[in-house]
Amino acid sequence: MPTHRRAALVALAGAVLALGVPALAAPAQAASTDLYVSPAGDDHADGSARHPVRTLQRARDLVRARAGDLTSDLTVHLASGTYRQVGPLVLDAHDSGTNGHRVIWQGTGTTVVSGGRQVVGWHQVPGRKGLWSAPAPQGLTDTRQLYVDGVRAQRARGAVPVQLTQTATGYTASSDTIAHWKHPADAEFVYTGGEALWNVERNGLGQWTEPRCRIASAEGTTITMAQPCWDNSNKRVEFPDIPGRTVSMVGPGHLTNNGKASYVENAYELLDQPGEWYLDRSAHRVYYLPRKGENLDRADVEAAAAEKLVDGRGTADAPVHDVAFRGIQFSYATWLTPNSAEGFSEIQAGYTVTGDKGWATQGLCQYVEGGTCPFASWTKMPGNLTFEHGQRIEFADDVFAHLGAAGLDLGTGTKDASVRGSIFTDISGNGLEIGGVDGRTPASGVQVTDNHLYGLPREFHGGVAVLNGYTQDDTIAHNQIDHVGYSAISMGWGGWPDKIGDPATPNPSHGNTVRDNLISDYMQMLDDGGGIYTQGLTGTSMTDGEKVTGNVVHGQWGLGKSVYTDNGCTYETVDGNVLYDASYANVASRHTDYRDGLGNNDPTLVKDNWWEEGTADGDNKGLVTTGNKIMASPSDVPPEILADAGLEPAYRSLLDRRIGARSVPEAPSRVGTGTAGPDALYVTFNPAFADGGSPVRSYTARAYDTTGRQVGRQSVPAADFERTALVRIGQLPAAGGPFTVTVTASNDVGAGAPSLASLPLAPTTATTLPGAPTSPKLRTAPTAATLAWTPPTATGDAKITAYRITVSDGRAPMDVTGRDVLVTQPSAKGMFRVIGDLKPATSYTVTVAAVTAAGTGPAVTVTATTRP
């Protein structure tokens, strides 16, 4: 895996640091216009440099008294330290700047606005080796997050300890084990989506989702699930004449795989791995298993308590405006709705179905009697910082980290806001949200530039780094987004009716631009997404439709596309991007535009990109492809194009900043196995995208027999795993199977906790070779060609682990490995690889054959001539 660079805030001027120290006098002019706040201040003070106030709320009240008629910017200087918030800093129109001047909340770079409660008084638990306990902080009744020295701990989790048979209200269990837990109603079933491959199962409500529902009660073998989460996840309305097609037209109507949960979380009985914790709400105690090297006698342990840190409550008639936040870290806020009976019944990108009859009405508009409008309007994940009807709101040089919902939500009616030079990391869900999908006033003129977003989402894994709903004239530019679990940038909404031949749903979006971003190592947990993902109408014409230009997108893990033009995506221009290392496609998909009744495609222009896909120029009924160039490697791309993507020079110091203490990586996910011979297994898994502030160096897979005894072990460098997507464990006992496998990730700090175990599998002797790949094509350029093919229709008695390509010029055969080799098989998706170093105007014959544990199967052949 490429080295994960860590971010650093651009240094603030030394004068600002000095002004944040209460003992120092401010310049004479500033003394009359500025306010000062310090954690050691006094709310009865006057807010001067020598007599700072203590709380943000008191500072706001003083701002309100002064802000009515500003003659210059009013700066609220926040000294270094932690400002603990029981509730949010609430701002409305009265807290705005005036006369063209702003109210600036200025931190020092080490100013932390925290919603956390410190957990102290730790003691070892008698009879439980390694387990520690402390009283819950005063006032903490519930939370979903705990942090130790700025490192997120994992809520206790494990495999579901019983077999479950789904019922109308929950499950019948194979035994009463869960009923004997201390607090069964605290436990939460998690349903992880993703593609089904090898023996990795697809659960959830689509490959892109990870819904969560709490247990309501467990009595004997009867498990009743909390409502409305259960019905909202299992009763989604389907068209009576289209079996399996939900009226929402996104995802299945019920939990897949017979409602099987991927794992269970939040039970005392599941505490068994270092880094896990549990809050016993009735006993008012916190339990934690420390990681190696952690000392709870001196560690800063924070339980996230507040659900909002800043709440900008503007209205259409009275917006909050001209307010800036600079040099501040926002941390330790939670989100408690998923703990409730509402749960987290996900649709996509953190949007959920909510309410007692949400499944029957929410966002179903014209397709269901009583359906609410507009179509595809669901409940958006809240932000731990939120603005509605905010104008000229600015966030600069800030850090959004250790947060339990979305980081920052610039919602309905946001206008001319900016988010610049900031870091978003270690956030449970979406990083930054803009606008919404509820048909209300769209956000407009939002500038998101030169930010680093990485290592998220940590909990609600269907979240994205930047979620942009119905918006106008937004610009998302020069950001670096890396190591994210699903899509990096998600644009638009509501285009799904084309699935049943209806026109895309109208929406107010237009004029949005996504340009010059550097996106890598994305979709590292879930599937069917993209580096830049768009749905629905993006404008009224190609002129004001969405522009995706100058981005460099690479390092995709899950099945999807570099630039994904999904259902109803209309009037999008994809121009001048560098797109490589994708699983399935660089730019896709083609959809019919049902507005004109002529069978045309959604108007889309794909031009002048550097890519590996190699699709020929053409106009496919409005889908225009022209001037794109096949690249064999990044060295084929003009260096100035690569250099211009991502953070601009003044902001590249962001990449050096470490947030929180260095720690071991989080555990890999979705571990699967396949046979590698009579005594060996291949292991694949999703990599650890939260690396603990130190790059993952290696992975170790361990095999266990049915008694739990370790019988095999193999470590591989992370770079090798990225290339092959496989680890081979050999010399397993011939009669000891089936075996389960766990995987740990290691960095310079040490080895992390093991993953959840794979499903059991016994090695077998593979003797039947796979068939030949199908539909080969050779798409040529002067000095390179893209070989495209689809998997064999028959793979024999083992899974495909590679493809072997030979070229008629006598070069050594090329073995194609990687995640796309594995993930394209179950869905028969196409594959491609670029062959470089070819001669212009020359005929080449290329063969490709599938490789399994049984050997190399028959090849399929294609011949083409490179362009002059």
Side-chain angles (χ1 to χ4, degrees):
M1 183 178 295
T3 298
H4 188 147
R5 298 171 292 177
R6 285 293 176 238
L9 286 169
V10 176
L12 299 175
V16 172
L17 290 172
L19 289 172
V21 180
L24 296 179
Q29 181 180 359
S32 62
T33 59
D34 291 4
L35 290 169
Y36 296 82
V37 192
S38 168
D42 182 348
D43 275 355
H44 293 95
D46 61 6
S48 64
R50 291 183 179 276
H51 302 97
V53 297
R54 183 175 61 85
T55 66
L56 305 185
Q57 284 75 10
R58 178 56 180 160
R60 177 208 53 205
D61 294 343
L62 294 176
V63 167
R64 185 170 291 185
R66 300 186 188 186
D69 191 21
L70 295 180
T71 58
S72 63
D73 289 349
L74 192 164
T75 300
V76 182
H77 298 280
L78 305 177
S80 297
T82 299
Y83 297 82
R84 295 190 178 275
Q85 297 284 100
V86 175
L89 173 66
V90 177
L91 304 176
D92 62 25
H94 298 91
D95 308 301
S96 304
T98 55
N99 300 326
H101 302 295
R102 294 165 295 180
V103 175
I104 302 170
W105 296 77
Q106 178 70 68
T108 67
T110 55
T111 298
V112 179
V113 174
S114 170
R117 304 284 181 86
Q118 242 178 347
V119 185
V120 297
W122 291 94
H123 295 90
Q124 294 192 54
V125 176
R128 284 291 308 270
K129 183 179 180 181
L131 184 64
W132 290 65
S133 176
Q138 185 67 33
L140 181 76
T141 58
D142 202 2
T143 186
R144 294 181 66 89
Q145 293 87 28
L146 188 78
Y147 302 86
V148 180
D149 289 331
V151 177
R152 181 181 292 240
Q154 169 65 55
R155 285 207 308 175
R157 68 174 183 173
V160 179
V162 293
Q163 297 297 312
L164 298 174
T165 301
Q166 189 173 0
T167 67
T169 58
Y171 300 96
T172 299
S174 58
S175 75
D176 62 356
T177 298
I178 292 178
H180 290 289
W181 284 1
K182 280 187 175 183
H183 304 293
D186 282 351
E188 181 177 283
F189 284 157
V190 183
Y191 307 87
T192 305
E195 287 290 339
L197 70 155
W198 292 17
N199 64 350
V200 180
E201 297 178 326
R202 178 196 296 173
N203 299 321
L205 290 160
Q207 302 97 299
W208 55 92
T209 67
E210 191 179 61
R212 295 165 171 263
C213 287
R214 184 175 59 77
I215 293 174
S217 65
E219 298 178 3
T221 60
T222 299
I223 295 176
T224 302
M225 299 299 291
Q227 295 286 15
C229 187
W230 185 250
D231 281 353
N232 285 339
S233 302
N234 284 290
K235 288 187 175 181
R236 296 181 182 178
V237 183
E238 297 183 355
F239 286 108
D241 55 344
I242 311 177
R245 171 63 71 197
T246 56
V247 173
S248 72
M249 289 170 259
V250 54
H254 53 81
L255 292 167
T256 56
N257 200 17
N258 298 312
K260 184 172 182 180
S262 303
Y263 59 94
V264 59
E265 193 171 276
N266 200 39
Y268 176 86
E269 289 75 12
L270 300 174
L271 284 165
D272 63 355
Q273 297 296 335
E276 289 187 333
W277 69 279
Y278 171 71
L279 170 64
D280 188 327
R281 293 181 297 163
S282 61
H284 207 61
R285 296 201 68 81
V286 181
Y287 294 90
Y288 180 63
L289 277 168
R291 301 178 179 95
K292 184 179 179 180
E294 289 178 335
N295 185 335
L296 296 185
D297 289 330
R298 60 172 181 263
D300 174 26
V301 182
E302 301 280 348
E307 293 194 75
K308 281 192 185 295
L309 300 177
V310 177
D311 190 2
R313 300 177 183 177
T315 66
D317 295 330
V320 55
H321 58 88
D322 297 291
V323 178
F325 297 86
R326 300 175 181 173
I328 303 171
Q329 177 171 325
F330 300 97
S331 292
Y332 304 125
T334 190
W335 178 36
L336 296 179
T337 296
N339 278 9
S340 72
E342 193 74 71
F344 186 73
S345 180
E346 189 171 27
I347 283 282
Q348 185 169 331
Y351 285 92
T352 54
V353 178
T354 58
D356 290 342
K357 291 289 184 180
W359 60 271
T361 61
Q362 193 170 22
L364 301 181
C365 207
Q366 70 267 29
Y367 295 105
V368 170
E369 184 176 353
T372 58
C373 292
F375 174 70
S377 172
W378 289 288
T379 302
K380 184 173 63 174
M381 178 184 295
N384 290 133
L385 288 82
T386 300
F387 276 85
E388 289 209 353
H389 292 287
Q391 296 183 5
R392 296 177 299 282
I393 306 300
E394 174 193 305
F395 287 89
D397 310 323
D398 297 312
V399 174
F400 302 85
H402 318 320
L403 298 173
L408 172 62
D409 177 21
L410 299 175
T412 296
T414 299
K415 185 176 181 180
D416 298 332
S418 66
V419 183
R420 181 183 70 254
S422 296
I423 295 171
F424 293 76
T425 189
D426 189 23
I427 297 171
S428 288
N430 298 318
L432 169 63
E433 298 179 336
I434 311 168
V437 298
D438 55 9
R440 296 190 292 163
T441 307
S444 64
V446 178
Q447 305 286 310
V448 180
T449 57
D450 287 295
N451 303 285
H452 188 200
L453 304 97
Y454 68 95
L456 59 89
R458 296 295 302 275
E459 186 175 0
F460 307 107
H461 293 115
V464 301
V466 179
L467 178 67
N468 188 93
Y470 292 160
T471 63
Q472 299 172 355
D473 302 315
D474 286 358
T475 297
I476 302 171
H478 284 293
N479 303 285
Q480 177 166 321
I481 303 175
D482 58 83
H483 295 84
V484 292
Y486 180 52
S487 296
I489 298 173
S490 183
M491 304 285 293
W493 204 251
W496 301 307
D498 67 350
K499 292 183 176 182
I500 58 168
D502 282 0
T505 304
N507 71 72
S509 292
H510 62 73
N512 294 310
T513 299
V514 182
R515 63 173 175 82
D516 302 317
N517 299 284
L518 175 59
I519 297 170
S520 69
D521 302 290
Y522 60 100
M523 290 177 59
Q524 294 201 308
M525 187 168 179
L526 298 182
D527 294 273
D528 199 10
I532 301 168
Y533 174 94
T534 305
Q535 292 177 334
L537 291 163
T538 72
T540 62
S541 67
M542 292 303 297
T543 300
D544 71 355
E546 183 179 312
K547 305 296 188 293
V548 177
T549 65
N551 303 282
V552 175
V553 183
H554 68 93
Q556 180 182 308
W557 188 256
L559 185 66
K561 294 96 175 178
S562 308
V563 177
Y564 194 161
T565 56
D566 206 359
N567 290 89
C569 178
T570 306
Y571 301 129
E572 179 166 323
T573 297
V574 183
D575 181 7
N577 304 280
V578 180
L579 311 171
Y580 63 100
D581 193 15
S583 295
Y584 181 35
N586 289 136
V587 182
S589 299
R590 176 184 61 80
H591 296 284
T592 301
D593 185 352
Y594 289 99
R595 296 173 304 161
D596 60 12
L598 300 176
N600 292 321
N601 294 315
D602 292 325
T604 305
L605 176 61
V606 183
K607 67 183 289 283
D608 296 336
N609 300 284
W610 295 85
W611 64 357
E612 296 176 325
E613 186 175 333
T615 302
D617 288 357
D619 184 344
N620 186 359
K621 298 182 178 180
L623 172 57
V624 178
T625 305
T626 181
N628 301 289
K629 308 167 190 67
I630 294 175
M631 55 179 289
S633 74
S635 63
D636 293 338
V637 181
E640 61 272 16
I641 296 178
L642 298 176
D644 192 49
L647 300 174
E648 296 176 281
Y651 294 92
R652 287 175 186 167
S653 59
L654 284 170
L655 302 175
D656 301 324
R657 174 75 179 270
R658 185 172 68 242
I659 306 301
R662 290 202 317 159
S663 69
V664 297
E666 71 173 1
S669 63
R670 305 193 75 232
V671 179
T673 54
T675 189
D679 65 345
L681 290 175
Y682 285 120
V683 183
T684 189
F685 50 89
N686 289 59
F689 60 87
D691 61 17
S694 176
V696 175
R697 301 299 185 191
S698 64
Y699 293 100
T700 299
R702 293 176 173 85
Y704 300 88
D705 64 16
T706 54
T707 70
R709 180 175 63 97
Q710 182 177 314
V711 293
R713 178 181 184 276
Q714 184 62 53
S715 296
V716 297
D720 288 353
F721 177 72
E722 182 188 20
R723 177 176 53 82
T724 65
L726 297 173
V727 178
R728 185 181 188 276
I729 305 179
Q731 298 182 328
L732 296 173
F739 304 107
T740 57
V741 175
T742 65
V743 182
T744 57
S746 297
N747 60 11
D748 289 344
V749 179
S755 67
L756 297 169
S758 69
L759 292 174
L761 182 70
T764 59
T765 300
T767 58
T768 305
L769 293 174
T774 58
S775 305
K777 297 179 180 63
L778 200 59
R779 305 162 180 163
T780 62
T783 60
T786 297
L787 175 66
W789 70 94
T790 52
T793 55
T795 60
D797 50 11
K799 304 295 185 182
I800 296 171
T801 58
Y803 289 94
R804 182 156 296 168
I805 295 174
T806 63
V807 184
S808 58
D809 60 5
R811 70 182 70 190
M814 176 174 67
D815 283 342
V816 172
T817 60
R819 183 65 161 193
D820 57 342
V821 171
L822 313 182
V823 81
T824 54
Q825 292 173 53
S827 51
K829 300 291 187 183
M831 290 193 60
F832 53 85
R833 282 297 187 276
V834 175
I835 303 168
D837 298 322
L838 303 179
K839 297 177 180 179
T842 302
S843 176
Y844 289 91
T845 297
V846 179
T847 69
V848 56
V851 180
T852 71
T856 302
V860 64
T861 302
V862 62
T863 298
T865 300
T866 52
R867 299 208 305 268

